Amino acid sequence: MWISRKVLLVKRRIKKWLAVFRIGLIQGLAFRAETFLWIILDIFPTFILIASWLAVFHGKTTVGGQSLSQLIIYYLAVLIIINLAEVHFEERWVENVRYGKIDYYFVKPISLPTYIIVQALGSKLMTFVTFLLPFLALMFGLIHAGLITGFTFTFSKLFVFLAFLLLAFIFDSILSFFVVFAAFWMDEASSIGHFKWMVTGIFGGTLAPLTFYPQWIQKIAAFLPFKLALSTPAQLLARNSVLHSDLRELGLFFVYVVVCVFIIRFMWKHAQYKYTSAGG
Amino acid sequence: MKKYFSIWLHFAKISLQRLFEYRADFFLWSLVSTGWTIFSLLFYQILFLQTSNIAGWNKQQMLVFAGTYMIIDAATWSIFWRNIQNYTESIFNGTLDFLLLQPIDAQFRLSVRHISFTNVPRLIIGIILLALNLPTVTLSQVLMYIALIFLSMGVIYTLWFFTATFTFWVEKLDNIIEIVPTLRRIWSMPSDIYSGFVGAMLTIIIPLALITTTPTRLLLHQFRWQELVALLTFFIVLFGATRAFFHYSIKKYSGIGS
């Protein structure tokens, strides 16, 4: 009796999630041209990064202990992570909180954070479909130009990378929630979103592998979780095999994510009491 | 001309008044601008940790280049970003109708209504970088440099306005205005890093790679007239094309409410 009730509850919950997921997917489809343009705009800087490193590599086989091919694979992996794991819902939801447009979501049979994250997941599926073609074109172009050599594919590498990717999606969503929830207390939370991008960009390793950074940044980055979302999985793809340290870092990342989930739940609980809107 | 300058001054004054009204907002966005400036500088630093020169540019030259890039970027972002954003929004929501009725050139009105001051820290950082790394220059070089900066800004503005004008022809593409901010990565690095077909494309046919390189070369006593000709020709052609495209699009525009 108790078990069947539990099963029914889980079924209902999944049904709700699927409905919201579908909304995300439909929205992604409705704005497919916009999504496609975003992907092209995200891919473009990689060309400039590669051109810059080509100039640095001029006459050298390795730089900072990495070959050009490894560096390019690193940037391609960063591109995958940015497109598939990073979310940008904070901009829209900061505005919604600021202008009192979330009342409607309080009476829905699903909590607002769940609604946002499931919808983001739906949009990400659409992004994945749109991303695939230009990304493959870029990759084949680079292989054809002889810039990617010696890449080895193993299922263990893929499996660990996907696990990192999933955690990176949750982690980035949590960071975005920090920004959205900040809007309950301050007027200009949208600017905080930029700090999120900057911090993840610098300490995550968007510009280059972290070993290329100045020592003092490397020391700070070692104590922060951002590298686990970007640099560690990207380096993993550029290497030939999965190292024991990769698995340890995956475990560490999981712990970070769990701790952050608790913090977010705590913040959301307090944010709801803080919220007021006109006309209610 | 005088009338237009006076209008621009009035708009600038209103923007300044808004700045004093929303001081916290200004402070936070200035911090964001400073943060992104440091972010850009970090990339140059990372490159120079691995090499002593990039495509013939040593660190000191590169810092002069970075300073010029910051100045151009801060100026274009301050003057045009919000205006371009409002331009596309006014097409999507139909408020462009009201603007077209005003007794003033529509493109001018759309391009100069708002000025942002949040990029002032970026501008200052750029000037400091120049001051600290600049070799000895003459007054005529400085004046020519300023003229080249204006030319570069003109190229960026026309390109931005041109791409934004496509909004008349697409149903919903909010991020069309993000094309130029993404393209600026091209001129964030010296034109010498681009080689082969891409290099020819970006320095002769569509000389976007010269936007920062040409003014910087002038300060480094390496000025090339061919680059100026390419940049100037591109600006004139693009400006003419943009005006024609804008007026043609206006004729096709029916407004959302009509």
Side-chain angles (χ1 to χ4, degrees):
Chain A
M1 185 70 180
W2 181 81
I3 293 172
S4 62
R5 193 178 289 170
K6 272 279 173 197
V7 170
L8 194 72
L9 275 174
V10 171
K11 265 186 178 174
R12 276 186 190 163
R13 193 171 283 181
I14 291 172
K15 205 176 163 185
K16 279 188 272 185
W17 287 357
L18 278 176
V20 178
F21 181 83
R22 214 165 48 226
I23 294 171
L25 199 66
I26 291 166
Q27 280 185 348
L29 259 172
F31 296 105
R32 57 193 178 278
E34 203 171 310
T35 309
F36 184 74
L37 185 58
W38 274 127
I39 286 164
I40 299 296
L41 296 179
D42 276 346
I43 286 177
F44 186 78
T46 309
F47 281 109
I48 309 299
L49 287 170
I50 292 173
S52 307
W53 284 108
L54 273 170
V56 173
F57 267 85
H58 190 73
K60 296 173 191 160
T61 49
T62 58
V63 163
Q66 302 227 10
S67 68
L68 181 63
S69 174
Q70 279 178 317
L71 207 56
I72 291 173
I73 294 169
Y74 177 86
Y75 282 124
L76 291 180
V78 167
L79 199 60
I80 296 173
I81 298 164
I82 285 175
N83 275 283
L84 302 185
E86 280 194 0
V87 290
H88 299 279
F89 61 71
E90 67 274 10
E91 288 170 47
R92 181 186 154 201
W93 288 98
V94 159
E95 291 292 296
N96 285 349
V97 172
R98 190 180 178 185
Y99 295 110
K101 291 179 185 170
I102 61 163
D103 312 23
Y104 166 70
Y105 294 93
F106 282 116
V107 289
K108 283 199 172 209
I110 186 168
S111 79
L112 183 64
T114 313
Y115 180 88
I116 294 173
I117 202 162
V118 176
Q119 201 189 35
L121 208 59
S123 313
K124 276 291 152 199
L125 185 67
M126 192 56 216
T127 307
F128 172 70
V129 175
T130 325
F131 172 72
L132 214 57
L133 198 67
F135 178 77
L136 288 175
L138 170 72
M139 209 172 74
F140 285 119
L142 290 169
I143 291 171
H144 186 71
L147 292 172
I148 298 179
T149 51
F151 175 71
T152 48
F153 173 83
T154 61
F155 279 104
S156 59
K157 227 160 81 164
L158 180 71
F159 182 74
V160 177
F161 180 75
L162 288 177
F164 266 112
L165 200 64
L166 179 68
L167 286 177
F169 172 77
I170 302 169
F171 182 68
D172 204 69
S173 302
I174 289 168
L175 294 181
S176 292
F177 277 127
F178 279 131
V179 179
V180 175
F181 294 163
F184 285 89
W185 284 275
M186 57 189 289
D187 281 343
E188 261 311 318
S190 57
S191 55
I192 296 179
H194 280 264
F195 290 110
K196 174 202 148 190
W197 298 334
M198 268 179 243
V199 169
T200 51
I202 293 173
F203 298 110
T206 314
L207 293 170
L210 278 172
T211 48
F212 283 44
Y213 279 51
Q215 281 293 326
W216 66 272
I217 295 184
Q218 286 187 46
K219 278 177 190 163
I220 298 171
F223 290 101
L224 298 169
F226 306 109
K227 70 181 169 80
L228 301 171
L230 212 83
S231 186
T232 309
Q235 288 278 30
L236 164 76
L237 269 200
R239 267 199 309 269
N240 284 334
S241 57
V242 179
L243 300 176
H244 186 67
S245 62
D246 293 326
L247 298 175
R248 199 178 56 230
E249 295 208 307
L250 185 66
L252 182 68
F253 197 18
F254 180 76
V255 173
Y256 264 121
V257 167
V258 170
V259 171
C260 286
V261 165
F262 278 109
I263 297 171
I264 280 296
R265 284 172 72 102
F266 177 79
M267 275 183 82
W268 172 235
K269 201 175 154 188
H270 284 79
Q272 287 175 82
Y273 292 114
K274 183 79 189 162
Y275 180 73
T276 52
S277 79
Chain B
M1 196 70 184
K2 202 176 159 191
K3 174 186 151 191
Y4 281 93
F5 184 69
S6 147
I7 291 169
W8 183 77
L9 270 185
H10 272 91
F11 284 149
K13 217 155 77 181
I14 294 166
S15 299
L16 201 65
Q17 280 167 353
R18 281 181 66 88
L19 180 153
F20 289 117
E21 195 180 348
Y22 303 105
R23 290 181 294 275
D25 187 48
F26 168 73
F27 176 73
L28 269 172
W29 283 107
S30 298
L31 266 183
V32 169
S33 166
T34 311
W36 283 122
T37 308
I38 294 166
F39 190 81
S40 309
L41 288 173
L42 180 64
F43 182 62
Y44 298 120
Q45 169 75 2
I46 287 169
L47 291 178
F48 277 101
L49 280 176
Q50 308 300 331
T51 186
S52 57
N53 84 80
I54 302 166
W57 293 68
N58 63 32
K59 194 172 179 181
Q60 198 183 2
Q61 290 171 328
M62 201 64 185
L63 288 173
V64 176
F65 179 91
T68 306
Y69 173 68
M70 304 293 170
I71 290 169
I72 294 172
D73 200 53
T76 43
W77 206 259
S78 303
I79 300 171
F80 305 121
W81 165 247
R82 178 99 186 272
N83 292 307
I84 300 285
Q85 202 178 24
N86 286 351
Y87 170 36
T88 55
E89 273 173 19
S90 70
I91 300 167
F92 283 135
N93 61 32
T95 51
L96 187 70
D97 303 20
F98 305 109
L99 201 139
L100 293 173
L101 294 172
Q102 291 176 2
I104 185 174
D105 182 85
Q107 188 178 344
F108 174 81
R109 167 66 177 78
L110 282 164
S111 307
V112 300
R113 175 62 186 86
H114 298 279
I115 293 174
S116 163
F117 295 92
T118 53
N119 276 297
V120 170
R122 192 172 176 79
L123 187 76
I124 293 170
I125 292 171
I127 294 168
I128 292 172
L129 277 175
L130 274 188
L132 293 177
N133 298 286
L134 203 62
T136 318
V137 285
T138 61
L139 182 67
S140 62
Q141 263 178 312
V142 174
L143 292 175
M144 178 81 173
Y145 175 77
I146 293 168
L148 283 174
I149 292 281
F150 277 113
L151 175 63
S152 296
M153 283 170 61
V155 171
I156 298 168
Y157 158 72
T158 39
L159 193 67
W160 219 346
F161 201 87
F162 186 78
T163 49
T165 305
F166 277 99
T167 310
F168 283 103
W169 304 91
V170 289
E171 204 161 306
K172 187 82 182 151
L173 205 59
D174 280 346
N175 53 354
I176 201 162
I177 53 167
E178 298 286 347
I179 294 173
V180 172
T182 304
L183 286 180
R184 70 190 166 139
R185 307 272 180 144
I186 294 174
W187 57 87
S188 70
M189 292 302 286
S191 62
D192 303 283
I193 70 156
Y194 308 106
S195 56
F197 172 73
V198 176
M201 182 87 174
L202 292 175
T203 52
I204 301 166
I205 305 164
I206 309 168
L208 300 181
L210 302 178
I211 286 174
T212 315
T213 305
T214 304
T216 311
R217 277 203 219 277
L218 181 85
L219 292 182
L220 298 173
H221 311 289
Q222 297 168 356
F223 184 64
R224 295 175 189 170
W225 283 102
Q226 309 92 299
E227 288 186 353
L228 174 63
V229 171
L231 209 56
L232 196 61
T233 312
F234 181 69
F235 171 67
I236 293 166
V237 171
L238 189 66
F239 188 78
T242 304
R243 284 293 285 180
F245 186 38
F246 176 66
H247 286 293
Y248 179 66
S249 302
I250 290 283
K251 278 181 195 160
K252 294 277 172 188
Y253 174 71
S254 57
I256 203 161
S258 54

